[in-house]
Amino acid sequence: HTIGHAIEYASNLSHGESVGLGMIAAARVSEKRVGFSEGERLVAAVEGLGLPLRGDGLDRHRILDLVRLDKKRDGEGLRMVLLEDIGKPVIERVDAADIEVGLDAIGL
C-alpha cells in the first residue's frame, strides 16, 4: 500500500485503482530486492480485474514526495511490505532507488 496510498492521495483514482498500481510497483521492487518471481502473475491479476496498469498523467515527483512521508518511515528510513512469494510478505527497508523501480514499472 505504500506507493498505492501516495497515488491515491495525489490523483483522482479510486482506492482500488491506486492499490492495484501500488501492487504492481511493489511486485517490481520485490523482484529486485527479495527475488519475487510472480510479478507477471500479479500484473495479470490486476489487469483481469480491469484496473489500470500504468499511472499515465500522474506526477512522479509528487508521488515520491508523498512516499517519503509514509507512516512506515522511521529514523532509519522507509519500510515497505514486499513479497518473497504469493502469500509470503516480508518487511524490508527500501531506498529511493527501489521506489524509482516501482514507479518505472507503472510508467511514472
Side-chain angles (χ1 to χ4, degrees), residues 2-48:
T2 302
I3 294 173
H5 282 158
I7 290 169
E8 182 176 12
Y9 190 82
S11 73
N12 291 322
L13 295 174
S14 72
H15 179 73
E17 291 168 329
S18 300
V19 169
L21 287 171
M23 288 172 57
I24 293 169
R28 298 310 184 201
V29 176
S30 297
E31 289 171 344
K32 176 185 179 224
R33 291 297 305 269
V34 296
F36 181 59
S37 64
E38 296 285 346
E40 293 308 314
R41 182 175 164 200
L42 186 141
V43 170
V46 170
E47 183 176 31

Side-chain angles (χ1 to χ4, degrees), residues 28-70:
R28 298 310 184 201
V29 176
S30 297
E31 289 171 344
K32 176 185 179 224
R33 291 297 305 269
V34 296
F36 181 59
S37 64
E38 296 285 346
E40 293 308 314
R41 182 175 164 200
L42 186 141
V43 170
V46 170
E47 183 176 31
L49 293 170
L51 298 172
L53 303 180
R54 298 180 51 83
D56 296 329
L58 300 180
D59 183 342
R60 180 184 182 107
H61 297 291
R62 175 76 173 131
I63 292 167
L64 277 169
D65 287 344
L66 291 167
V67 167
R68 289 183 187 110
L69 297 173
D70 189 272

Side-chain angles (χ1 to χ4, degrees), residues 65-97:
D65 287 344
L66 291 167
V67 167
R68 289 183 187 110
L69 297 173
D70 189 272
K71 65 184 176 186
K72 291 179 290 306
R73 177 170 292 287
D74 61 21
E76 296 179 36
L78 178 65
R79 293 171 293 137
M80 189 170 167
V81 177
L82 303 178
L83 290 174
E84 290 181 338
D85 202 351
I86 299 293
K88 190 173 179 188
V90 60
I91 298 173
E92 291 280 323
R93 294 213 179 272
V94 296
D95 59 23

